[in-house]
Amino acid sequence: MPSSSPDSTAAMTEALRRHIHDIRGHLSPAMLRADSLALSKDERTRTAARDIIAALEATTKELSAMRRLLPARQP
């Protein structure tokens, strides 16, 4: 099986960077909404919001770990 050319590897890396960035962007409104719900007077709503926030934070942590696996950008 032939190895990828440097150009195709660089293109794939940049595509992955864009996808990670876009996924984080998609999660941002959910985090803002969950933060708002965490201020609710209703305990069940606050508990649910904390669960959502924890899941979103874990997801963004995993995305950050994925990003760190990518090679550094070349000038």
Side-chain angles (χ1 to χ4, degrees), residues 22-36 52 56:
D22 291 348
I23 292 168
R24 290 175 69 107
H26 294 312
L27 294 174
S28 292
M31 182 61 92
L32 290 171
R33 185 63 130 173
D35 285 340
S36 176
I52 293 167
L56 292 170

Side-chain angles (χ1 to χ4, degrees), residues 9 13 17 67-74:
T9 300
T13 297
R17 284 184 199 285
R67 189 171 179 212
R68 285 191 299 275
L69 292 173
L70 297 174
R73 283 193 170 124
Q74 301 300 314

Side-chain angles (χ1 to χ4, degrees), residues 44-67:
R44 289 178 55 200
T45 301
R46 287 194 312 271
T47 299
R50 286 191 297 267
D51 292 344
I52 293 167
I53 291 168
L56 292 170
E57 287 175 343
T59 302
T60 57
K61 182 178 177 183
E62 290 294 328
L63 289 169
S64 293
M66 288 173 60
R67 189 171 179 212

Side-chain angles (χ1 to χ4, degrees), residues 1-21:
M1 179 178 210
S3 62
S4 299
S5 71
D7 287 343
S8 66
T9 300
M12 178 65 76
T13 297
E14 284 308 308
L16 287 170
R17 284 184 199 285
R18 282 193 308 276
H19 284 301
I20 290 169
H21 175 81

